[in-house]
Amino acid sequence: MTEETDNGIGGVHIKYLLHCPRQLWLYSRGYRPEQNNSSVAFGEALDATTYTRRRDIDLGEAKIDWVTTGAVVHETKSSRTPSPQHEAQVRHYCLLLARLGVNIARGVVHYPLVRRTTEVAWDAFARAEAEKTEQAAKDVIAADQPAPRLPRSRCRGCSYRDYCWGDL
Amino acid sequence: MTAAARTYWLTEPCRIRREDNSIRIERPDQTPIRIPITDIRDLVAFDHVDVNTSVVSLLNRHDITVHLLDHYGNYAGSFTPHEGMSSALALRRQVEVTSDTHLRLTAARDIVATTAANVKWALDTDLLDAPLKRLTEDLPTAGDSNALMGIEGNFRRSSWEVLDTMLPPWLRLNGRTRRPPSNAGNAFISYVNTIVYARMLTALRCTPLHPAIGFLHADTDRRRNTLALDLAEPFKPLFAERLLRRAAAQKTLRQSDFESDVARASLSKGGRKKVAEMLRAELASTVYHRSLKRKVSYEELIHLEALKIVRLCLEGTSYKPFRPWW
């Protein structure tokens, strides 16, 4: 899990934006029920027990899992299937590091449960993509009202489900 | 709501110790009980409990609240972890919402009306129709929360009388008394209400809200948390009145379960255990929630109620207090 302060866009922001803008809006307003979510706890446990020789890199607004020589950004995921959200999160970390003057080579997403990795390219196109996503996240956060709920079926496993669907 | 974690009820005097990064509970007679720390949401202590700083720091790290009840079942206080969930923005909105007189009184009126309806639902009787009608007529005229509480008090008096007709003579309330409760029935009601309040407090701790900034009760009501008192109100009949009626009908409680004295009564050790057992079963029972499309326990209903206030604060949606729909 990444952790961040309120002054920037971190990895969680990007992940939530791509899943559900409403979730990002609520998260940015300080309602964060995910600490009671068992799948989040599972992800944290997985992060703590895999690749333990590597060290986190704390950027303040984001916490990168680890970076290897040649500036390859690594990220561990407890999922079994690659998803565009994961890649976008890594691209965002690349963007943050690139702004600090690091010459990024590429990103890698690790899926230790299925022992697979996915490569994330870092070039001008990827950078434009990352900046676009960051701007979208900022727009969502700046809105007065949250986005409407997603269709019911896409809320499965979301820790905000009780909040969004709990009124009768 | 936590998927795995649960509430632990300590009905006997015990010592809580830390064992590595987990909890061991030592009771005088039996072998110690070990509980994984991640399995605990909160602890309710009905009797004397010994803790030390290493336990406290561990509980704090895992955001676990310990609720303490005194001998008479009054709420004696709680050990609460630092507010890891707090958010300045949500809190600011909560203050705005509750300091707007119109908004506050609307919510308070809804709470009083719903509570009365829930009492009638719990007692399942026609005898309360007239007082309920009078309450709904009086509510719009009430200009402040004191007047509202007065109207609620009138209704409650008739409801206690109706409840008395359903109970055996030794369990009758004969007028509600608190601090200390004067007879067995009052002791039971106080005890259950305290626990419902504690459950609400735990639920509020899982949200960014401040439990002391509320709508209906006085801001310094016996130094208790106003919002938790307010939100617990609609749930009290669901547990207190209903369980008392059930206990009387099924003869679960006996006179020996209470320690009665002149003008004061409390549950005995065995009685406390019985009540805790009943409450646990009741909190775990489930109903089907239409929009969540799954079964939710009564415990989760309390949690959903707290989320309604979060929704009110963040999105400005109107607050509809809990009514049983089944």
Side-chain angles (χ1 to χ4, degrees):
Chain A
M1 268 313 277
T2 46
E3 232 174 74
E4 63 280 38
T5 51
D6 284 342
N7 48 31
I9 304 288
V12 177
H13 291 98
I14 300 297
K15 196 174 93 188
Y16 283 179
L17 169 76
L18 295 180
H19 173 238
C20 170
R22 181 180 170 84
Q23 193 180 11
L24 171 62
W25 190 88
L26 291 169
Y27 180 79
S28 71
R29 294 297 189 278
Y31 177 51
R32 299 178 177 188
E34 60 275 86
Q35 70 187 30
N36 292 333
N37 189 301
S38 51
S39 51
V40 172
F42 176 67
E44 274 171 7
L46 191 87
D47 188 55
T49 50
T50 54
Y51 310 110
T52 44
R53 281 181 293 168
R54 312 294 187 175
R55 207 181 300 156
D56 292 346
I57 294 173
D58 201 337
L59 293 183
E61 67 257 50
K63 209 157 104 190
I64 301 174
D65 279 359
W66 80 90
V67 179
T68 47
T69 39
V72 181
V73 176
H74 296 262
E75 169 74 14
T76 317
K77 283 288 170 199
S78 61
S79 163
R80 285 163 189 273
T81 24
S83 125
Q85 291 169 30
H86 304 159
E87 286 181 27
Q89 200 174 340
V90 172
R91 269 201 295 274
H92 182 67
Y93 292 152
C94 293
L95 179 68
L96 291 179
L97 280 180
R99 280 190 190 142
L100 293 175
V102 181
N103 194 12
I104 301 287
R106 60 197 155 84
V108 179
V109 192
H110 296 257
Y111 301 93
L113 289 184
V114 289
R115 300 196 174 199
R116 296 283 188 279
T117 57
T118 308
E119 298 266 321
V120 182
W122 182 247
D123 48 27
F125 176 73
R127 188 177 177 124
E129 192 83 347
E131 275 166 352
K132 211 161 73 189
T133 317
E134 191 190 26
Q135 191 51 47
K138 281 183 179 161
D139 291 344
V140 167
I141 292 171
D144 289 343
Q145 280 292 312
R149 299 181 286 204
L150 289 181
R152 225 358 257 263
S153 53
R154 289 189 56 201
C155 297
R156 198 166 61 88
C158 176
S159 52
Y160 288 74
R161 192 174 47 178
D162 280 359
Y163 175 90
C164 291
W165 294 94
D167 55 339
L168 216 49
Chain B
M1 185 103 284
T2 318
R6 55 192 126 187
T7 305
Y8 282 87
W9 308 71
L10 311 173
T11 48
E12 277 182 34
C14 60
R15 177 182 292 266
I16 309 177
R17 278 184 183 281
R18 175 169 176 175
E19 193 172 75
D20 299 333
N21 276 324
S22 200
I23 290 284
R24 186 177 70 193
I25 292 175
E26 292 173 354
R27 298 190 293 188
D29 48 343
Q30 286 152 346
T31 45
I33 293 171
R34 293 176 174 81
I35 308 175
I37 190 84
T38 48
D39 198 43
I40 308 175
R41 184 171 51 232
D42 59 347
L43 299 164
V44 184
F46 292 79
D47 216 324
H48 296 285
V49 165
D50 281 0
V51 286
N52 53 24
T53 42
S54 58
V55 171
V56 168
S57 67
L58 186 68
L59 293 175
N60 190 43
R61 194 175 339 134
H62 288 88
D63 280 334
I64 295 167
T65 313
V66 185
H67 297 288
L68 310 169
L69 312 186
D70 73 6
H71 187 69
Y72 297 105
N74 292 318
Y75 188 75
S78 53
F79 161 71
T80 47
H82 73 288
E83 293 174 36
M85 286 295 284
S86 56
S87 143
L89 197 128
L91 194 57
R92 217 172 284 140
R93 284 289 299 141
Q94 191 189 352
V95 172
E96 277 169 27
V97 167
T98 49
S99 55
D100 179 338
T101 321
H102 176 68
L103 281 177
R104 192 180 64 229
L105 279 179
T106 315
R109 251 181 228 123
D110 280 349
I111 289 171
V112 172
T114 312
T115 308
N118 291 358
V119 170
K120 184 184 174 283
W121 177 86
L123 296 182
D124 194 19
T125 169
D126 295 337
L127 294 171
L128 281 175
D129 281 348
L132 194 60
K133 194 156 159 272
R134 207 173 323 132
L135 176 111
T136 34
E137 278 164 9
D138 289 349
L139 273 185
T141 58
D144 59 2
S145 46
N146 278 338
L148 280 171
M149 303 265 272
I151 293 171
E152 193 195 8
N154 289 338
F155 175 80
R156 287 300 255 186
R157 255 193 295 286
S158 13
S159 84
W160 300 126
E161 277 163 22
V162 172
L163 180 62
D164 274 354
T165 62
M166 302 169 177
L167 299 174
W170 69 273
L171 208 53
R172 279 184 195 148
L173 304 176
N174 298 322
R176 179 94 175 93
T177 46
R178 306 151 228 245
R179 300 194 165 244
S182 62
N183 51 27
N186 274 304
F188 182 92
I189 300 262
S190 289
Y191 213 73
V192 175
N193 282 349
T194 303
I195 293 166
V196 174
Y197 168 77
R199 306 313 310 139
M200 192 36 111
L201 199 56
T202 299
L204 284 171
R205 291 249 155 225
C206 297
T207 69
L209 300 173
H210 196 293
I213 307 174
F215 303 100
L216 176 62
H217 288 82
D219 289 342
T220 50
D221 190 15
R222 296 195 214 111
R223 301 209 195 154
R224 294 205 276 171
N225 289 313
T226 314
L227 184 60
L229 282 174
D230 289 351
L231 297 187
E233 209 59 41
F235 288 96
K236 284 175 179 172
L238 195 65
F239 294 97
E241 273 90 342
R242 232 153 59 108
L243 285 183
L244 185 57
R245 273 183 67 197
R246 190 182 302 166
Q250 300 179 345
K251 299 196 169 64
T252 350
L253 288 174
R254 272 190 249 116
Q255 243 153 326
S256 57
D257 289 329
F258 293 89
E259 285 166 2
S260 298
D261 214 337
V262 179
R264 60 167 50 201
S266 63
L267 283 155
S268 70
K269 199 170 276 180
R272 244 177 283 177
K273 237 177 191 172
K274 263 186 200 170
V275 176
E277 199 60 44
M278 282 165 72
L279 263 168
R280 260 168 64 177
E282 192 66 9
L283 282 166
S285 60
T286 55
V287 286
Y288 186 75
H289 193 290
R290 287 194 304 276
S291 62
L292 279 176
K293 294 197 177 175
R294 65 177 166 93
K295 285 180 166 179
V296 292
S297 62
Y298 286 12
E299 174 89 60
E300 279 179 290
L301 288 176
I302 294 178
H303 179 247
L304 291 177
E305 192 72 4
L307 291 188
K308 284 182 192 168
I309 302 294
V310 183
R311 214 178 292 127
L312 169 71
C313 291
L314 290 181
E315 295 181 56
T317 50
S318 63
Y319 166 58
K320 272 206 331 252
F322 164 80
R323 268 172 209 249
W325 62 81
W326 58 94

